[in-house]
């Protein structure tokens, strides 16, 4: 319930922030802000190199085996690698992104470049939240990520008019970047405070650097494919409909549908480290009980969420203003796709933890490529609703098939 409460707080704060921005920004400016968030979200997934997802498994195992020197080596290597790679990606974005957008006649988007400058900070936060979670303080980790970060962002953008500052796409991304910086400082302090005492005095053993990168690569690819599946539609709509309401309409629909995804992500941070330990111990009964408990919890949330969207979806969309009032269909379609991905979101992790990386990557790549192709086809005809369909159809097929594969694998494993 605490995890759900934090997810709900995050959703409410970010939703409030987006309503505020949608009502105070012009259509093209709100589109710029939404595209900046989507692009940097995709880049931050790439910047972590899959090490944040791999940390859920590896840190749990190193603590279980009390291999403190290897754990310290992994943590130091990951932080340095993520920071340096993030800087490289930021430079590449600065050189290449605006050139691409200019060729597409979409104009100059300074908000994207400014927010990309915060990429190293964002990537380090994404890694540290997983580490803090594995240390056993899930609530504190999510309080920083799900409450402190959006609360600071909301306070900063609401405070802009009081300081005689204009609310623009640039000022909005600067506020968000400042919130990430404050969150990183607190995460570093918390990670040091809650880390095992043995870890602080252990010698650094970084001899497994190539092995860590090799093992994290499948997680990186699958994460990028998943982020492309969820965030790529906004970027594609910006290409198809530059500076038009279609971009903001789809962004509003996806932000609303994101509530159920947040619940899935939060519960995964609670259940996945336990799943890793149970798999290590080959405890079949406990694994089945854990997965069934998670399934019942998530299914209950999904029923409530889809009911609210179905009944009150138009009223929710209208909160953002008249410019985005045509987004009900896109909202309901996106919410349905997000519900399937949330319900079965443990399946790709299980399959990858059990060495089925090629299967997961292949399925996710097919889904992401299908989404991109369908987005250009359906988006050009039906706008935001078409892109919502392009997201929902591959997502439902992807996660249903991965759940079936995970079920089959578990039956064979414990025969």
């Amino acid at each position: 319930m605490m995890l759900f409460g934090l997810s709900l707080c995050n959703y409410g704060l970010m939703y409030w922030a987006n309503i505020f921005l949608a009502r105070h920004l012009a259509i093209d400016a709100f589109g710029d802000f939404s595209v900046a968030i989507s692009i940097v979200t995709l880049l931050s997934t790439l910047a972590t190199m899959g090490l944040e997802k791999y940390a859920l498994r590896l840190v749990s195992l190193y603590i279980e085996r009390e291999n403190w020197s290897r754990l310290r080596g992994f943590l130091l290597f990951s932080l340095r690698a993520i920071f340096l790679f993030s800087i490289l990606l930021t430079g590449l974005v600065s050189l290449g992104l605006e050139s691409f957008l200019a060729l597409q006649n979409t104009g100059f988007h300074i908000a994207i470049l400014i927010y990309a400058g915060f990429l190293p900070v964002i990537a380090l936060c994404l890694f540290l939240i997983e580490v803090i979670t594995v240390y056993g303080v899930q609530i504190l980790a999510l309080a920083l990520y799900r409450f402190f970060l959006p609360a600071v962002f909301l306070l900063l953008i609401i405070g802009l008019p009081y300081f005689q500052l204009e609310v623009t796409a640039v000022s909005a991304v600067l506020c968000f970047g400042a919130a990430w910086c404050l969150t990183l400082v607190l995460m570093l302090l918390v990670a040091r405070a809650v880390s095992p005492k043995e870890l602080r005095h252990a010698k650094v053993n970084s001899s497994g650097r190539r092995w860590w990168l090799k093992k994290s690569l499948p997680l990186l690819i699958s994460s990028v494919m998943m982020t492309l599946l969820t965030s790529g539609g906004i970027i594609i709509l910006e290409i198809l409909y530059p500076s038009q309401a279609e971009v903001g309409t789809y962004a509003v629909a996806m932000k609303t549908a994101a509530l159920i995804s947040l619940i899935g992500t939060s519960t995964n941070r609670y259940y996945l480290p336990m799943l890793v330990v149970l798999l290590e111990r080959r405890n079949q009964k406990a694994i089945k009980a854990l997965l069934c408990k998670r399934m019942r919890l998530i299914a209950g949330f999904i029923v409530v969420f889809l009911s609210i969207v179905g009944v009150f979806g138009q009223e929710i969309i209208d909160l953002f203003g008249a410019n985005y009032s045509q987004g009900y269909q896109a909202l309901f379609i996106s919410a349905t796709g997000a519900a399937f991905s949330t319900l079965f979101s443990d399946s790709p992790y299980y399959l990858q933890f059990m060495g089925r990386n090629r299967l997961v990557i292949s399925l996710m790549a097919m889904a992401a490529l299908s989404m991109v192709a369908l987005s250009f086809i359906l988006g050009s005809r039906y706008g935001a609703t078409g892109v919502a369909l392009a997201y929902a159809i591959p997502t439902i097929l992807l996660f249903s098939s991965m759940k079936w594969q995970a079920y089959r694998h578990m039956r064979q494993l414990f025969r």
Side-chain angles (χ1 to χ4, degrees), residues 16 25 34 42 66 99 126 140 259 277 285 378 402 413:
W16 186 1
L25 295 176
S34 300
L42 182 60
E66 298 184 357
S99 299
L126 294 177
L140 180 56
L259 170 60
V277 174
K285 184 178 179 180
L378 297 177
M402 285 196 294
L413 180 66

Side-chain angles (χ1 to χ4, degrees), residues 358-384:
R358 289 185 180 180
L359 174 65
V360 173
I361 291 172
S362 299
L363 290 174
M364 285 192 166
M366 289 174 58
L369 292 175
S370 299
M371 186 281 297
V372 171
L374 287 173
S375 291
F376 279 107
I377 296 171
L378 297 177
S380 61
R381 294 185 180 182
Y382 307 110

Side-chain angles (χ1 to χ4, degrees), residues 43-44 46-49 80-97 113 116-121 123:
L43 289 173
S44 64
L46 187 62
T48 58
M49 299 185 289
R80 292 169 183 168
I82 290 171
F83 180 73
L84 293 174
F85 191 48
S86 298
I87 293 176
L88 176 62
L89 284 177
T90 301
L92 291 175
V93 169
S94 300
L95 291 172
L97 180 60
L113 296 181
F118 292 100
L119 181 60
V121 174

Side-chain angles (χ1 to χ4, degrees), residues 2-238:
M2 285 292 294
L3 293 174
F4 170 68
L6 287 170
S7 295
L8 198 59
C9 282
N10 176 271
Y11 180 76
L13 291 169
M14 288 303 297
Y15 211 67
W16 186 1
N18 279 280
I19 290 173
F20 177 86
L21 291 174
R23 289 182 172 273
H24 285 78
L25 295 176
I27 291 175
D28 58 342
F30 184 67
D32 278 358
F33 172 78
S34 300
V35 172
I37 300 301
S38 296
I39 289 177
V40 176
T41 298
L42 182 60
L43 289 173
S44 64
T45 304
L46 187 62
T48 58
M49 299 185 289
L51 290 167
E52 91 287 9
K53 294 291 185 288
Y54 191 45
L56 280 172
R57 181 173 188 269
L58 197 63
V59 174
S60 299
L61 291 179
Y62 281 157
I63 293 176
E64 175 76 6
R65 298 170 183 175
E66 298 184 357
N67 195 341
W68 306 115
S69 61
R70 294 279 282 177
L71 175 56
R72 189 173 183 186
F74 171 74
L75 294 175
L76 291 176
F77 166 74
S78 297
L79 290 170
R80 292 169 183 168
I82 290 171
F83 180 73
L84 293 174
F85 191 48
S86 298
I87 293 176
L88 176 62
L89 284 177
T90 301
L92 291 175
V93 169
S94 300
L95 291 172
L97 180 60
E98 286 301 324
S99 299
F100 173 77
L101 292 174
L103 290 174
Q104 297 296 321
N105 297 317
T106 58
F108 188 65
H109 298 265
I110 187 64
I112 299 174
L113 296 181
I114 291 175
Y115 193 53
F118 292 100
L119 181 60
V121 174
I122 297 170
L124 289 175
C125 283
L126 294 177
F127 176 77
L128 286 171
I129 187 175
E130 307 296 0
V131 174
I132 296 171
T133 296
V134 179
Y135 284 163
V137 285
Q138 297 95 333
I139 302 300
L140 180 56
L142 287 184
L144 291 173
Y145 185 49
R146 297 297 191 199
F147 177 74
F148 180 80
L149 171 65
V152 172
F153 173 51
L154 179 61
L155 289 174
L156 288 174
I157 59 172
I158 290 178
L160 288 174
Y162 292 97
F163 292 96
Q164 306 301 314
L165 297 173
E166 186 180 359
V167 181
T168 64
V170 171
S171 63
V173 297
L174 283 171
C175 289
F176 209 1
W180 277 110
C181 290
L182 292 174
T183 303
L184 176 61
V185 172
L186 288 181
M187 282 189 175
L188 288 169
L189 294 174
V190 169
R192 180 174 178 81
V194 303
S195 62
K197 294 181 180 179
E198 298 87 349
L199 178 64
R200 304 171 196 174
H201 305 291
K203 294 182 179 180
V204 177
N205 183 353
S206 302
S207 58
R209 287 174 293 185
R210 291 184 180 179
W211 184 73
W212 293 329
L213 287 175
K214 181 180 179 181
K215 291 295 183 180
S216 68
L217 182 60
L219 296 171
L220 167 63
I221 297 173
S222 61
S223 294
V224 170
M225 293 298 105
M226 192 62 214
T227 304
L228 180 61
L229 194 64
T230 56
S231 301
I234 295 176
I235 302 171
I236 293 171
L237 277 174
E238 176 66 19

Side-chain angles (χ1 to χ4, degrees), residues 221-274:
I221 297 173
S222 61
S223 294
V224 170
M225 293 298 105
M226 192 62 214
T227 304
L228 180 61
L229 194 64
T230 56
S231 301
I234 295 176
I235 302 171
I236 293 171
L237 277 174
E238 176 66 19
I239 296 172
L240 294 174
Y241 302 94
S243 302
Q244 294 185 31
E246 296 292 341
V247 180
T249 299
Y250 182 72
V252 165
M254 289 300 291
K255 284 176 172 60
T256 305
L259 170 60
I260 201 66
S261 299
L262 283 176
I263 294 171
T265 303
S266 300
T267 53
N268 279 344
R269 287 195 176 97
Y270 178 76
Y271 286 108
L272 287 178
M274 291 188 288

